Amino acid sequence: MTISSTELPLKENIIAAPNNFISQRLYSLDALRGFDMFWIMGAEEVFHSMAKATNAPFWMVLSNQFTHPEWNGFHFYDLIFPLFLFIAGVATPYSVGRDLQKGKTKNEVLWRVVKRGLILVLLGIIYNNGLELRPLSEIRFGSVLGRIGLAYMFANIIYIYSKQTAQIIWFCALLIGYWLLLKFTSAPGYPMGDLTMQGNFASYIDRSILSGRLYLTIHDPEGLMSTIPAIGTGLLGILTGSYLKNKDTNGSKKALSMAIAGIVFIGLALLWNFDFPINKNLWTSSFVLNVGGISLLLLALFYLIDVLGYRNWAFFFRVVGMNSILIYMSGRFINWEYSTNGFFKWLGQLIGNPYGAVVMAICFVLVKWAFLYFMYKKKIFLRV
């Protein structure tokens, strides 16, 4: 992992792991990544604050969408994590594919992919537990960055060593295989196919072999077993990136094709939901199709930036997307609330209740964005 500063023009710069690619090719991907990160750098609190301030049904519904269901079901907030992994996959043909085209051996590229994946796993452990020494039983090893690192790594290994047809087969096999695994197994003492938190086989295996503590005591949403279908999320991104990189199809047709594919995936997910519920905690196969479909729709929309050339509106998000790992990790080591209060507490007090909290939530996001804009202007980006 390095912090890089370069004097090259930004359009030539290679940025933001694990999503390195030539940014001039897909400006939209930086913008979409920034849109994704925007919601977990504090923007969701604006909706929670508005709901508390107004008690209006409209804001209550929106606020609820920025929470996670307790188990089965889907809220918008469930999309943030898999969308990032999908985007990492889309970038693969532009980064890993570029290295292979330049003549690097598959083993050389493999080492870079494995190194990136393991660094992300390490960063995830640090994010969860800090830098202080803890007893093994108190360390949580499962993490968002760890899930991204492992799924990214294995999806890229499949990409390096297989053709596109084989990648499609892998995608289908991972989803169907995971479905069959959970359908015909269970934790000891539970009926076959039990998908409750206590009774499902994936959580049981994590409880049995995963060291340290689990996020929900008996279950970890970033456990080892549910990494299997998450590889499928990364592969879907890779297949999409390969399609976008194809010069034989014009941009408008690509955007339309992605939108149609997205709708089909969501339809399949809703059908599969009757037998294998959409569930982020288990990263079920229906969940992969659902978030994959929504990710395709969003990418189709953002891809119009590259097709039509209207970039100015997306600059706000691009600033975030170019330092996504940095802003995520900063939450563990920078007291952003303290910084926000230092600059804007007077404003919140001036406005007073109930909307002072809404203003402070907006200021919280703007302080983070100002930091990222400073890094952007200095051409300093966190790279893995």
Side-chain angles (χ1 to χ4, degrees), residues 204-310:
Y204 166 70
I205 292 297
D206 286 343
R207 290 195 296 269
S208 301
I209 68 174
L210 196 59
S211 299
R213 63 181 179 87
L214 304 183
Y215 185 69
L216 297 175
T217 308
I218 62 171
H219 169 80
D220 198 306
E222 283 78 54
L224 288 176
M225 289 296 290
S226 53
T227 300
I228 295 171
I231 298 170
T233 301
L235 269 177
L236 180 59
I238 288 173
L239 291 165
T240 304
S242 296
Y243 176 66
L244 291 178
K245 197 177 177 183
N246 184 351
K247 297 179 181 179
D248 296 332
T249 307
N250 67 58
S252 298
K253 184 177 179 180
K254 289 176 182 177
L256 179 60
S257 298
M258 286 190 294
I260 293 172
I263 293 171
V264 170
F265 271 49
I266 293 170
L268 291 173
L270 293 176
L271 288 174
W272 209 344
N273 178 63
F274 289 107
D275 185 68
F276 199 23
I278 295 172
N279 183 311
K280 176 186 176 294
N281 276 280
L282 289 174
W283 211 284
T284 55
S285 305
S286 56
F287 175 76
V288 173
L289 292 182
N290 190 54
V291 296
I294 299 172
S295 297
L296 283 165
L297 287 173
L298 283 172
L299 182 56
L301 177 63
F302 274 76
Y303 187 61
L304 293 176
I305 296 172
D306 294 306
V307 175
L308 302 177
Y310 298 130

Side-chain angles (χ1 to χ4, degrees), residues 9-257:
L10 280 177
K11 69 176 183 177
E12 297 295 332
N13 194 23
I14 296 175
I15 47 89
N19 305 307
N20 299 331
F21 65 99
I22 301 173
S23 59
Q24 69 203 46
R25 293 292 298 274
L26 283 179
Y27 188 103
S28 55
L29 203 57
D30 270 332
L32 181 56
R33 190 188 303 110
F35 171 82
D36 189 39
M37 293 301 299
F38 174 71
W39 300 109
I40 60 173
M41 60 185 270
E44 79 285 356
E45 190 57 36
V46 176
F47 295 95
H48 297 322
S49 299
M50 281 296 294
K52 291 177 183 177
T54 64
N55 286 320
F58 174 78
W59 292 108
M60 296 292 285
V61 169
L62 284 181
S63 175
N64 187 54
Q65 284 299 309
F66 286 92
T67 63
H68 295 300
E70 289 188 10
W71 194 242
N72 293 334
F74 179 79
H75 291 171
F76 174 79
Y77 210 47
D78 294 337
L79 174 67
I80 307 303
F81 180 7
L83 176 58
F84 191 93
L85 178 55
F86 172 83
I87 292 169
V90 175
T92 289
Y94 293 89
S95 55
V96 174
R98 180 195 61 233
D99 289 341
L100 292 171
Q101 289 171 354
K102 285 184 175 180
K104 290 190 176 181
T105 67
K106 291 182 177 181
N107 287 342
E108 287 176 325
V109 177
L110 173 65
W111 165 241
R112 287 187 57 194
V113 164
V114 171
K115 183 177 71 172
R116 288 174 186 169
L118 294 180
I119 288 174
L120 285 170
V121 171
L122 178 60
L123 288 176
I125 294 172
I126 292 173
Y127 184 88
N128 283 348
N129 307 283
L131 295 173
E132 66 272 17
L133 293 176
R134 298 168 179 249
L136 183 64
S137 60
E138 296 180 10
I139 297 175
R140 182 184 172 221
F141 289 96
S143 69
V144 169
L145 289 180
R147 165 67 54 80
I148 292 171
L150 290 175
Y152 161 85
M153 180 176 71
F154 286 112
N156 272 259
I157 291 172
I158 293 171
Y159 171 77
I160 292 169
Y161 290 101
S162 65
K163 301 293 185 181
Q164 191 170 78
T165 301
Q167 293 165 23
I168 296 172
I169 293 172
W170 268 105
F171 174 75
C172 296
L174 287 167
L175 299 196
I176 295 172
Y178 188 65
W179 166 57
L180 293 175
L181 177 66
L182 294 193
K183 187 175 180 65
F184 294 105
T185 59
S186 67
Y190 290 85
M192 185 174 65
D194 191 301
L195 294 177
T196 63
M197 186 182 298
Q198 301 86 351
N200 78 84
F201 186 69
S203 297
Y204 166 70
I205 292 297
D206 286 343
R207 290 195 296 269
S208 301
I209 68 174
L210 196 59
S211 299
R213 63 181 179 87
L214 304 183
Y215 185 69
L216 297 175
T217 308
I218 62 171
H219 169 80
D220 198 306
E222 283 78 54
L224 288 176
M225 289 296 290
S226 53
T227 300
I228 295 171
I231 298 170
T233 301
L235 269 177
L236 180 59
I238 288 173
L239 291 165
T240 304
S242 296
Y243 176 66
L244 291 178
K245 197 177 177 183
N246 184 351
K247 297 179 181 179
D248 296 332
T249 307
N250 67 58
S252 298
K253 184 177 179 180
K254 289 176 182 177
L256 179 60
S257 298

